[in-house]
Amino acid sequence: VSEEVRTQILRNIPARIKAARPDLKPGSDIRYLYDSGVWLAGPVKVNKLWFSTSFHHQQILQYLLGSYNEDGTPVPDDNFLWNSSSKLAWQVNPTSQLSYFYTIQRKVNGHRASTTMFVQSGATTRNDKTPQLNQVKWTSSMRSNMVVDVSGSLNRNRDWFTWPSEAKDGDIAGFDAVTNTLLTVLPTY
């Protein structure tokens, strides 16, 4: 962040936060970022039954520029995502295959903040979602130039929006129009 931008940001930070943190140096900071995955595939029975499975995990903790709590600590933007998928494929005969596919994903944003204003940690939303997909598919080659696919799928999704851990019953939502900052908790969840 350039010195000019840093000065503009500091000008908009409330005096109470500057008093709590006189050494405050605005900046965005990534504390950690993980990305890993693994997969395994192969035959269960040679030329008849195959499987594949995979798992992927990502996690990040970062602090966004300009959002601070009353004590001057930065507001976290914490996310994790993992997904897993598996497939089983059976060669019914030389021209037909039956397969089953399942995938599940878990995505949690611990402090989902507004993208248009500054926030305190409690004035964010915890978003927890878990979509799942089940699919059965039959594939058959009718002739050398024609394939038929028939499939059925079931898609389920749980998508919850709740208070972050910093928000407590009895907290009152606030908004500082001078600094464009959401205070304490959000007005609605």
Side-chain angles (χ1 to χ4, degrees):
V1 176
S2 73
E3 196 56 42
E4 181 182 336
V5 171
R6 195 178 306 271
T7 302
Q8 288 175 358
I9 291 168
L10 281 170
R11 187 178 324 133
N12 290 324
I13 293 175
R16 64 185 182 280
I17 291 176
K18 287 193 249 184
R21 290 274 314 273
D23 62 334
L24 187 66
K25 292 184 175 77
S28 54
D29 182 23
I30 295 177
R31 291 291 166 91
Y32 57 77
L33 174 62
Y34 304 115
D35 190 347
S36 58
V38 63
W39 63 267
L40 181 64
V44 175
K45 185 173 181 186
V46 178
N47 295 330
K48 204 66 172 161
L49 189 62
W50 296 266
F51 80 97
S52 66
T53 189
S54 65
F55 179 80
H56 186 216
H57 175 83
Q58 296 172 301
Q59 194 164 346
I60 186 171
L61 172 59
Q62 64 183 343
Y63 294 96
L64 303 177
L65 185 63
S67 288
Y68 300 96
N69 293 306
E70 288 291 314
D71 63 359
T73 57
V75 175
D77 179 23
D78 50 337
N79 299 276
F80 81 81
L81 168 71
W82 63 256
N83 55 52
S84 177
S85 61
S86 297
K87 182 176 181 181
L88 197 59
W90 173 41
Q91 190 71 39
V92 178
N93 60 45
T95 61
S96 296
Q97 184 182 82
L98 182 65
S99 63
Y100 171 73
F101 174 75
Y102 174 75
T103 186
I104 183 170
Q105 180 183 79
R106 176 93 191 278
K107 181 178 182 180
V108 176
N109 184 320
H111 294 84
R112 188 177 200 164
S114 166
T115 57
T116 59
M117 58 186 62
F118 302 122
V119 298
Q120 292 180 348
S121 292
T124 60
T125 302
R126 178 180 167 82
N127 185 204
D128 186 340
K129 48 180 90 182
T130 310
Q132 300 175 58
L133 175 71
N134 293 272
Q135 183 179 63
V136 175
K137 181 167 79 168
W138 174 71
T139 304
S140 183
S141 56
M142 307 307 275
R143 299 191 301 258
S144 62
N145 63 351
M146 187 165 112
V147 174
V148 173
D149 262 351
V150 177
S151 64
S153 300
L154 172 63
N155 188 15
R156 297 183 331 185
N157 188 18
R158 186 195 73 183
D159 195 358
W160 290 346
F161 291 86
T162 59
W163 289 16
S165 58
E166 295 83 358
K168 306 292 181 231
D169 283 339
D171 283 349
I172 298 173
F175 176 67
D176 184 335
V178 175
T179 61
N180 196 31
T181 303
L182 292 168
L183 306 171
T184 314
V185 293
L186 290 177
T188 58
Y189 282 91

